[in-house]
Amino acid sequence: MFVSTVGPLDAKIMLVGEAPGETEDRLGKPFVGPAGKTLDRILMEAGISRHECLIANVARERPPGNKISHYFEDSKCTMPKPQMKEWLKILQNEIETYRPNVVVALGGTALWALTGMKGIKNFRGTIVESSLVPGVKVVATYHPQKVNYEWSLLFPTVMDMRKSLRESDSPTIPIDRRELIIASKRQQWEDYLRECLDKQHEWKIAIDLEAYHGHTSWVGISHDKDFAMSVQVLDSDGYPVMNENDELAFWQLLGAVLTSDIKQIYHNAGYDVSQLWYTHGILCKNVWMDTLIGAHACWPEIERNLGFLASICLNVPAWKHTSAGFTKGMYNAEDAANTRGIADVIDTELDKAGVRHTYDSEMSQIEPAEFMQLNGVAIDPEIKERLVKENTDRLDLIENGLSELLKKEINFKSPKQLQELLYLDLGLPTQYKRRRSKYDERKVTTDAEALNKLYRETKHPVLRLILEHRKVTKLLDTFLNIEVTESGKVHTSYNIAGTDTGRWSSSRSIIIPSGSGNLQNIPYEARKMYVPPPGYKIIQADYKQAEAVIVAYLINDVRLKQMFQDSFGKSKKYCEENKLDVHKLTASLMYAIEFDEVTKELRKIGKVLRHSSNYSAGPAVVARELGTTMTDAKKQLDLYHAMCPMLRIWHKKVQEQLQKNRTLITPLGRKRVFMDRWGDTLFRSAYAFIPQSTVGDLLNKALVHFYKTWKHTAMILWLQLHDAMYICVPEQDDERMWMQRMLNSMLHDLTIDYETFQIDVDFKVGHSWGTLEEYDYYA
DNA sequence: GATTTTACGTA
DNA sequence: CGTACGTAAAATCT
């Protein structure tokens, strides 16, 4: 059925979709099916009333199989067939007749029809002039149906809709007033940098560095969102473009600016500031804002690259496509100007959203995080060589064993070849990946969980060997055969804005690329080669059962809280003598037996259940962890929840809170708005959020305090591992003294439901990361 | 050559 | 129907 345009003819906003779906086809109206429902949600969140909008589709009839390509000659949908040409004419006429102030292109097809541009991902959120009806303003965003499939797109789509609402005030297309000086001449950058010095008490400047293989190639500078200058240092082959004198003058002058009082803005200050210090000896004095961290504090769940932030904070055209080749200088200048513009928006948003304290706290983490990145961690070359040899030998044995069993050469790292081997050649029962929802598609897998299950069922020796092969190659490929720097170290970049929870993430350092990159997932075996500097020893301090303590207070588990309090600051021996063992307590309550009757096996059950229940894991996970049947796991779970009904009550409470405003606030004041689709996945991340985030924030607070207090001593901040910090101190120093100092920073009051408590700390000491020994500080 | 998928390491 | 991450190698896309 032909679906015509609906809505008031004097509408200021016109929405243009792609083509009618099944429901639209049946009812003859646009956006009345599932996509219409999502459109309503988007409009509601943007504060737009559907009845005030003209609503249309580019194609007026439903294509077979809902495939828009049906109306095009080519698969890329750029050459319309005659029918589509006719519909374009209709759309053109309607826009010319009704003249809405803004036309919103919903999805790629509408974007193409209205502007001739392809690629909705790059152009969404930008304001462009229509080519179909010149002079008419178009804002592009995702199609609601796409949001349906990929719920994380809801936020940008809502932001685009809000922009459209603002733009619907008038038909005027905003003019891009930016003045960008690309690859500036010496006179230009000299004048500009001197002006920065003159205005150091008035201006805030954004700085952006581009690098070529670790060397700075461009520097972008901007004091105003409509002005930026880029300075080229290296050409695209990595050769200097300035003569020695000019380059020296440039770095000196830039150094003078960055060590003046001028307020500086960066997008990921950690990188630029470290690079400036490490390769140019410039120690930036006054970092006023980091737009990456600012955006993280405001919107922890969204994408945070500059292009995306600009699309929601500013009215500038997309510029990512200029990042390669001869337009690099343009890209660099736009980065700087847009960073400058975004900073003002975020500065306002931080207060509006009430997250300034989170932002400040994260900003204070830059220095210790960057210290650790630049300082690095030493690798003992002999231990490394030994580990590589041991595991290479082991791999040889495994491969010999496999070739004897199989007599067919296959690549055991190839999931495809393994599937063929196991499920076709050997005829083993096909295993499928565990699904997050019963609506997910069933996928064949050969992962460890599947192979273990197959081994339990069939005892086929090849499975054992494949599992071992996987373990050893993973260890060798990712963790042992790593590049170290000339000084025998590895470096990691700690990413303060790396997670949705406030925990840090860790990844390959761009400044000093080395090691396996991520230092937060090194397996125990490989940790043996990570060593302190000569003459130093390692002290590890980690929060004791941190997340379990937080959960106990969140759900108000009186018995558990009492146990944590009773064991606080006590030695291992004392806890044993006084029956202070969480997992034994759990088991004794579950089975209604005396504490002393709890066997090792029952304690294990208690431990697994507490842990998995805290994150609302299901019977499948419990069965796997305990190696039992699903039926048995279900029984254990029922026992656990009968013993601890508060947990489900708390889960209900979290759901109610989400219903209210989709916002959770942790005991340390971190705020997160959950934008996922309503359902179990959303609930699970919400349950996990508060304990995970609180522990992460607690540790980072402690780490900053400790670093500030002791950075001027011989102490070296060594590693951060979510709930643990590692330091290195001189061999002859008293370790108890350092432990006391760590305690001073780490023991910190937390308040949940008007009850104040602390989380205790465990220590380890040693001379390699893999051989640390427990140190009972309270003994 | 770039991007996505699979598998797996940590807290 | 644990969640939170990052990386290597294979697989797939363009």
Side-chain angles (χ1 to χ4, degrees), chain A residues 188-215:
Chain A
Q188 291 173 305
W189 55 252
E190 211 175 309
D191 289 348
Y192 191 35
L193 288 172
R194 289 202 192 286
E195 197 176 355
C196 288
L197 275 177
D198 286 345
K199 306 260 172 67
Q200 59 177 285
H201 298 291
E202 298 151 49
W203 280 7
K204 299 173 187 130
I205 55 167
I207 301 287
D208 181 62
L209 306 184
E210 310 292 335
Y212 178 88
H213 295 300
H215 302 283

Side-chain angles (χ1 to χ4, degrees), chain A residues 422-574:
Chain A
L422 297 178
Y423 305 137
L424 290 176
D425 298 355
L426 298 180
L428 297 170
T430 309
Q431 300 296 309
Y432 296 92
K433 203 159 189 72
R434 213 144 44 81
R435 294 174 294 176
R436 297 176 86 216
S437 147
K438 63 180 171 183
Y439 303 109
D440 287 355
E441 95 187 271
R442 276 211 321 176
K443 273 187 176 168
V444 178
T445 181
T446 58
D447 66 12
E449 191 185 341
L451 296 198
N452 272 314
K453 183 155 170 269
L454 275 178
Y455 183 74
R456 281 202 302 274
E457 285 166 6
T458 67
K459 299 285 173 203
H460 200 300
V462 93
L463 296 163
R464 260 259 137 98
L465 284 170
I466 293 170
L467 279 164
E468 267 196 73
H469 189 281
R470 279 253 184 78
K471 257 215 141 54
V472 176
T473 49
K474 176 79 179 167
L475 191 62
L476 280 166
D477 290 346
T478 307
F479 300 111
L480 294 178
N481 281 321
I482 53 170
E483 297 258 340
V484 300
T485 63
E486 266 175 36
S487 51
K489 284 179 166 184
V490 296
H491 299 255
T492 190
S493 160
Y494 284 109
N495 312 310
I496 295 162
T499 75
D500 291 353
T501 59
R503 276 184 177 186
W504 290 1
S505 75
S506 153
S507 59
R508 178 171 301 276
S509 164
I510 307 173
I511 300 169
I512 316 168
S514 54
S516 61
N518 182 355
L519 271 194
Q520 289 176 325
N521 71 341
I522 308 294
Y524 198 78
E525 174 78 359
R527 292 184 181 189
K528 291 174 191 161
M529 64 191 193
Y530 290 76
V531 292
Y536 276 71
K537 58 189 168 189
I538 306 163
I539 304 178
Q540 174 199 339
D542 67 297
Y543 283 114
K544 206 188 278 187
Q545 311 213 62
E547 296 197 8
V549 178
I550 308 245
V551 172
Y553 278 85
L554 285 169
I555 69 174
N556 193 21
D557 186 326
V558 178
R559 283 174 299 220
L560 212 55
K561 287 192 303 188
Q562 192 60 49
M563 177 163 285
F564 285 130
Q565 271 176 30
D566 291 343
S567 53
F568 189 95
K570 298 295 193 300
S571 70
K572 257 205 153 137
K573 190 156 159 265
Y574 177 94

Side-chain angles (χ1 to χ4, degrees), chain A residues 748-776:
Chain A
H748 187 282
D749 281 353
L750 287 172
T751 302
I752 292 178
D753 287 338
Y754 308 103
E755 222 174 329
T756 298
F757 63 99
Q758 293 184 337
I759 300 179
D760 209 354
V761 176
D762 269 337
F763 292 101
K764 284 181 182 166
V765 182
H767 289 88
S768 96
W769 190 8
T771 56
L772 298 178
E773 290 194 8
E774 284 186 25
Y775 187 106
D776 197 343

Side-chain angles (χ1 to χ4, degrees), chain A residues 1 75 126 148 152 174 177 179 202 259 269 338 347 350 361 370 409 496 538 656 659 664 722 775:
Chain A
M1 187 200 261
S75 63
T126 55
N148 254 344
S152 60
R177 293 175 199 285
E179 187 189 349
E202 298 151 49
T259 51
N338 293 340
D347 191 37
L350 283 171
S361 158
E370 293 311 313
E409 287 281 307
I496 295 162
I538 306 163
E656 281 164 17
Q659 186 108 45
L664 294 183
H722 305 307
Y775 187 106

